[in-house]
Amino acid sequence: MQLIFFTFLIFNSFAWAQFYPTPNTYFINGCRVFNSYTQPIEQFPGERCLFRDNGDFISSNQTSIKYYTKENEIKWEITNPFFHHQMNWSTDKQHILAMGSDLIKRKNETKRVDLFLIIDLNGKILKQLSAEKILSEDGAEDINFPLGSFVNLPVKYEITHFNSFYEIPILKNISHPDFLKNSKYILNSVGQGIFLLDKNLERVHYKAKIKSSLGHAVHDAQVTSKGSIIFFNNLSSDLKNKRSLHSTVEELFLPSNKVTTLFKAEPQGVFYSKHCGGVQVLTDDLFFFSHHFSGAFFYSRSQKDVLFSDYNMFKDGDRLLPSQQIKIENLADFFDSRKKR
């Protein structure tokens, strides 16, 4: 499907109220919270935040994850050389999924590799997995990306660059391949592919590299409740015009591995994000996506139309750092609990 962009769309309060009438809807960009009219309302400490209904919240920066009570007291802290990209809830919101780093030797040179952690609400690390193990089992080669200037580590290169880590949701009662039924988590890397792993983070059940993406430049890959994988394709390929840099939102269907484009712009280049990008399924018809150049979009599949687009949540800089995308969440109970403290 294609949309013609004559200019960036402006927030339409009538469309928002008509198609997603939730007064307790909030936008979260890292630890900054915006109301349903995209007005900033609160900045919490840290770079990435998760919010609990009881008023507590979990905050991470580059070197630590902290649990804050609703009285803003620190309950526990976990440290790591470099936390990055995302911090997500498990599906039951009882565990924290974090992306950290490990430093390993490669031919007498120290390099960064991704580390995946599952943490309980008491700060105990229940499981952890080094991406080095994924590479050794899969046979994938090191990517040897130079570290960005914003990464404060005593190394020059990283051998993996993962950017999303989710638990797979409860699937709808339809037929699914065994590798999906037996998988519990989905991890995505730039260059090395999408991986589905078991509940113990020990075995890779499935791997895919998106052929429609140049170098598998993909962000925010997630399994939907119907068993497909939705993702933000940063460098979407164009066989007719390979020099046209543009991005798309796409869906991978299993087990056929067929990829369908859910959203793209015309002309293609007006929707392009080289480094960041996120997508969130709201209903069977509605999804939300964002990136750091064009803003945040609320989209209806059935109407094939953007219901609103807004750039207000990006005005403080030209890049999303420290977060890579904006997400929507109902934070009514969280804020109510903090008022009662």
Side-chain angles (χ1 to χ4, degrees):
M1 65 188 62
Q2 294 184 346
L3 296 179
I4 298 177
F5 278 27
F6 295 104
T7 184
F8 292 138
L9 298 175
I10 300 173
F11 174 73
N12 185 321
S13 59
F14 175 76
W16 177 254
Q18 181 181 6
F19 294 103
Y20 200 69
T22 307
N24 297 317
T25 295
Y26 295 85
F27 298 92
I28 302 170
N29 182 356
C31 290
R32 291 180 294 150
V33 179
F34 301 76
N35 64 18
S36 59
Y37 292 95
T38 72
Q39 299 166 330
I41 59 170
E42 192 150 1
Q43 168 78 63
F44 293 91
E47 299 177 351
R48 291 162 293 272
C49 284
L50 298 175
F51 303 96
R52 300 192 67 195
D53 290 346
N54 67 356
D56 297 353
F57 67 97
I58 297 94
S59 170
S60 73
N61 57 26
Q62 286 199 12
T63 57
S64 71
I65 296 176
K66 298 177 182 178
Y67 186 108
Y68 286 85
T69 67
K70 67 179 181 180
E71 290 80 20
N72 295 326
E73 297 175 349
I74 298 175
K75 185 177 179 180
W76 52 258
E77 180 178 4
I78 294 173
T79 60
N80 184 266
F82 180 60
F83 288 113
H84 59 96
H85 280 91
Q86 288 186 341
M87 182 172 61
N88 293 316
W89 284 119
S90 61
T91 55
D92 61 5
K93 289 194 171 183
Q94 295 303 302
H95 298 135
I96 301 156
L97 279 58
M99 304 179 67
S101 304
D102 197 6
L103 303 181
I104 66 170
K105 287 286 188 180
R106 275 288 200 272
K107 296 181 179 179
N108 297 320
E109 183 178 1
T110 302
K111 298 183 179 182
R112 192 196 79 88
V113 66
D114 288 287
L115 186 69
F116 308 99
L117 303 97
I118 299 177
I119 306 163
D120 70 13
L121 295 176
N122 293 314
K124 180 180 179 181
I125 299 176
L126 303 177
K127 302 167 189 173
Q128 69 178 32
L129 169 70
S130 171
E132 184 182 25
K133 182 178 180 182
I134 296 177
L135 298 189
S136 63
E137 290 185 358
D138 178 68
E141 296 182 356
D142 299 353
I143 56 173
N144 283 316
F145 280 174
L147 287 189
S149 59
F150 55 88
V151 182
N152 186 22
L153 288 177
V155 298
K156 295 181 179 180
Y157 296 96
E158 58 185 8
I159 66 171
T160 64
H161 188 93
F162 281 76
N163 57 45
S164 62
F165 176 26
Y166 288 95
E167 184 174 0
I168 295 173
I170 296 175
L171 301 177
K172 292 182 178 179
N173 189 24
I174 56 179
S175 177
H176 297 292
D178 287 341
F179 66 78
L180 181 57
K181 293 178 183 177
N182 296 328
S183 298
K184 183 71 171 178
Y185 299 99
I186 177 170
L187 300 85
N188 177 70
S189 71
V190 172
Q192 291 155 328
I194 296 171
F195 300 85
L196 301 184
L197 282 84
D198 68 348
K199 64 180 181 179
N200 295 316
L201 289 179
E202 292 178 347
R203 181 182 174 189
V204 176
H205 287 294
Y206 171 85
K207 176 191 174 181
K209 293 186 75 171
I210 304 303
K211 295 180 180 179
S212 61
S213 183
L214 301 176
H216 189 84
V218 168
H219 272 86
D220 210 27
Q222 308 149 58
V223 175
T224 70
S225 61
K226 63 183 180 182
S228 61
I229 297 176
I230 192 169
F231 57 92
F232 192 100
N233 189 345
N234 295 79
L235 299 178
S236 187
S237 62
D238 180 0
L239 297 179
K240 294 182 180 179
N241 183 7
K242 292 183 179 180
R243 294 184 179 181
S244 175
L245 294 176
H246 67 286
S247 301
T248 55
V249 176
E250 299 185 358
E251 189 170 16
L252 171 66
F253 292 91
L254 304 174
S256 67
N257 289 335
K258 178 183 177 182
V259 174
T260 297
T261 298
L262 299 176
F263 176 86
K264 65 179 178 180
E266 186 62 45
Q268 294 177 141
V270 301
F271 185 73
Y272 171 58
S273 177
K274 181 178 180 180
H275 296 295
C276 301
V279 59
Q280 182 178 5
V281 177
L282 302 175
T283 69
D284 288 341
D285 180 52
L286 304 172
F287 65 92
F288 177 75
F289 53 94
S290 64
H291 76 76
H292 65 296
F293 286 151
S294 294
F297 299 79
F298 185 79
Y299 185 80
S300 167
R301 297 193 199 202
S302 62
Q303 297 194 32
K304 299 182 180 180
D305 197 10
V306 172
L307 304 184
F308 88 84
S309 174
D310 185 81
Y311 198 77
N312 184 52
M313 293 167 278
F314 302 84
K315 284 182 178 178
D316 65 332
D318 63 355
R319 187 170 176 186
L320 265 170
L321 285 171
S323 60
Q324 68 171 9
Q325 73 270 302
I326 293 171
K327 292 295 174 75
I328 291 176
E329 193 171 341
N330 186 330
L331 297 181
D333 290 339
F334 169 78
F335 283 115
D336 284 346
S337 296
R338 292 183 71 81
K339 290 177 182 177
K340 297 173 183 177
R341 59 185 172 177

